[in-house]
Amino acid sequence: MKTLDFATYRDKVAGCWAGKNIGGVLGAPFECKRQLNDVQFYTQDLSKGPPPNDDLDLQIVWLAAVEKFGRQVNAAILGEYWLSFVIPHWVEYGTGKSNMRAGLMPPISGHLDNVYRNSCGCFIRSEIWACLAPGHPEIAARYAFEDAIVDHSGEGAYGEVFFAALQSAAFVEGDYRKLIEIGLSYIPDGSFLAKAIGEAIRCHDDGVPFAEARKRIHNAAPGTFGIQNQKLSEIDKSDPEFLTGAAGFDAPENCAYAIAGWLYGEGDFGKSICLANACGEDTDCSCATLGATMGIISGASGLPAKWTEPLNDKIVTI
């Protein structure tokens, strides 16, 4: 049995949030774009500090709920906090809130009439459960599911459960192949998420060039996040080999893009998050999730100064 002393735990928690902040800042300018992004560092002006990061804001709300209710926190309690403190009312967030206001509580709130129930809005909330249950993926996965069903279901919920289990295990395990296996063990084998992640693994192991792997992952579970702000004619010209998926079906490929960046990045933090960003689509989410995962493994003390210093250890909320 592996043990985790407090100093190491603290360093890994700090690494989780610093890594998530780094990835979110890197990927933010490329969100909602279907293109192969060739950047090796931040592109924003960070002279006045980092921009706000909504992927972090949401988890502060969950932390407040846990501080009050402890182990008793569940989807119903989280739903009440969602209604009270979460401002955004778009896509899956808005549908979940509308359902709850109509008296339809989780898990119905996350599923009914929710076109975006399979999108990315909950796998970006996995870290809080991993940090609260380090080394216990079974506990992290359970709370992640309670979180997810507030405003998601199906593939969307699987994404959060997958990463919560993986990230919890990352507090005591550093082998990324073992961690991916642990995450996959908590989701259905026949899910599109498992299919997309499996495609990422096959592409890497077979030596498929990264640009081609990007297309294969997308076509294994086609999403639409990267074409929300573009005309169909423009998409056809830029990426004619990309299949068009159902609106809101975005969690599988974006989770798999994070895994692809990790595999092809070969353990290098900067290379990995830049490769995840290269995939396009929901870049701030995929990069932030990967950054958090690698930050847990390395701890804050092991993150490259090149990436941490421009953000000056600051997280800005919306």
Side-chain angles (χ1 to χ4, degrees):
M1 182 177 69
K2 294 185 178 181
T3 59
L4 188 67
D5 64 81
F6 182 75
T8 302
Y9 169 69
R10 181 186 178 93
D11 185 45
K12 288 180 176 291
V13 169
C16 172
W17 301 108
K20 190 170 182 72
N21 198 30
I22 290 167
V25 172
L26 172 69
F30 305 95
E31 184 182 16
C32 293
K33 295 180 181 179
R34 179 161 296 167
Q35 60 189 29
L36 191 61
N37 302 306
D38 184 15
V39 298
Q40 305 304 318
F41 200 55
Y42 304 120
T43 58
Q44 305 100 312
D45 178 7
L46 300 177
S47 60
K48 296 181 180 179
N53 188 326
D54 63 324
D55 294 11
L56 292 160
D57 280 21
L58 298 173
Q59 301 193 65
I60 295 173
V61 176
W62 288 170
L63 182 59
V66 172
E67 286 176 337
K68 181 172 182 179
F69 292 95
R71 296 173 182 173
Q72 303 307 311
V73 73
N74 57 22
I77 291 170
L78 294 175
E80 290 296 328
Y81 271 70
W82 194 255
L83 288 174
S84 299
F85 300 110
V86 176
I87 296 172
H89 196 71
W90 53 70
V91 290
E92 65 264 49
Y93 299 166
T95 302
K97 289 164 72 176
S98 294
N99 281 337
M100 286 187 286
R101 288 192 178 111
L104 303 172
M105 301 307 292
I108 299 174
S109 60
H111 181 81
L112 185 66
D113 295 330
N114 191 355
V115 174
Y116 286 84
R117 60 183 174 270
N118 296 307
S119 196
C120 306
C122 70
F123 83 74
I124 62 174
R125 309 194 299 252
S126 61
E127 290 84 13
I128 186 67
W129 311 115
C131 289
L132 290 171
H136 284 279
E138 75 285 0
I139 297 175
R142 179 167 69 87
Y143 284 107
F145 181 75
E146 293 290 319
D147 171 359
I149 59 176
V150 172
D151 59 334
H152 291 76
S153 68
E155 301 289 340
Y158 300 155
E160 181 169 5
V161 169
F162 168 79
F163 273 116
L166 186 161
Q167 291 164 338
S168 170
F171 276 89
V172 293
E173 174 61 64
D175 186 312
Y176 60 83
R177 297 304 287 255
K178 289 182 180 179
L179 290 172
I180 294 169
E181 289 178 6
I182 290 170
L184 287 172
S185 73
Y186 285 87
I187 64 172
D189 291 338
S191 64
F192 279 94
L193 177 62
K195 182 179 179 181
I197 292 171
E199 188 63 34
I201 295 170
R202 279 189 295 276
C203 286
H204 172 263
D205 292 352
D206 293 344
V208 175
F210 188 77
E212 176 62 24
R214 168 180 169 257
K215 293 182 179 180
R216 292 189 187 185
I217 292 167
H218 169 85
N219 288 340
T224 61
F225 208 96
I227 60 174
Q228 292 184 18
N229 296 330
Q230 292 180 272
K231 297 178 181 178
L232 184 59
S233 59
E234 295 173 346
I235 299 303
D236 290 341
K237 291 176 182 178
S238 62
D239 276 311
E241 297 177 27
F242 272 59
L243 299 177
T244 300
F249 193 80
D250 298 306
E253 73 168 325
N254 283 285
C255 290
Y257 281 156
I259 296 300
W262 200 12
L263 293 170
Y264 279 84
E266 301 173 329
D268 183 282
F269 179 84
K271 180 180 179 182
S272 297
I273 61 173
C274 285
L275 285 172
N277 185 58
C279 293
E281 307 295 321
D282 198 358
T283 46
D284 69 324
C285 293
S286 56
C287 294
T289 297
L290 178 55
T293 303
M294 298 186 76
I296 293 171
I297 295 171
S298 70
S301 60
L303 288 172
K306 168 186 174 181
W307 290 97
T308 59
E309 288 178 354
L311 304 185
N312 195 27
D313 200 29
K314 291 181 178 179
I315 292 174
V316 181
T317 61
I318 293 178

